[in-house]
Amino acid sequence: ITGLPGADKQGFVAALAAARPCGASWALLDNDGGGSAQALARDGIATGIVSGCACCSGRITLQVGLVRLLRRACPGFLIIAADGAAEPDALEQTLRQPELARAVTVIRRICVAPPQWLAALPAAARERLQRQIAAADAVVAATAE
């Protein structure tokens, strides 16, 4: 799940988790500040938190955190909430590495993006959000309100 800071990815993740089938084994790797992980841990969902940009400086941290979470929880379904600065192509490359690709199959790429933001964002942030939207299989228009 991608989206710029303030896009309420945490709210979307919580809504997604609320729809989890009873008894389903889910895990969340939170690379977006830890708020989603704290909320979902109370709901019995295995969580891990990694810091740093998931697609560049924190790539190794992402890989290590992901492997640790998968080994500990053995989830049937994994959510990765990526930092708002994440570049979708680089994140995808990380997840497609042979070692990770054997354990993780990417089935959906979701971008959470309040629609009113595009016009108001500075150019660099707008371009990053447009790349995140273009790489997504689905876009969720959400606001914290």
Side-chain angles (χ1 to χ4, degrees), residues 24-46:
S25 171
W26 283 25
L28 167 77
L29 186 65
D30 191 339
N31 176 239
D32 195 39
S36 294
Q38 293 170 359
L40 295 186
R42 292 187 298 263
D43 294 334
I45 294 176

Side-chain angles (χ1 to χ4, degrees), residues 46-145:
T47 60
I49 300 173
V50 294
S51 299
C53 180
C55 61
C56 53
S57 62
R59 183 178 265 177
I60 298 299
T61 306
L62 173 69
Q63 293 170 14
V64 170
L66 183 55
V67 168
R68 284 182 180 162
L69 180 59
L70 292 173
R71 285 182 178 162
R72 178 172 47 90
C74 298
F77 188 76
L78 171 69
I79 301 167
I80 300 174
D83 178 83
E87 288 291 344
D89 289 342
L91 183 57
E92 187 84 15
Q93 285 177 350
T94 298
L95 296 173
R96 298 263 184 235
Q97 291 181 22
E99 302 81 25
L100 292 177
R102 285 192 293 272
V104 175
T105 301
V106 177
I107 57 171
R108 293 284 183 277
R109 293 160 205 86
I110 299 170
C111 180
V112 178
Q116 70 277 16
W117 279 17
L118 270 180
L121 287 172
R126 183 175 50 251
E127 290 168 8
R128 182 173 45 254
L129 180 58
Q130 287 173 324
R131 286 190 298 276
Q132 291 175 352
I133 290 170
D137 298 310
V139 178
V140 176
T143 62
E145 302 82 53

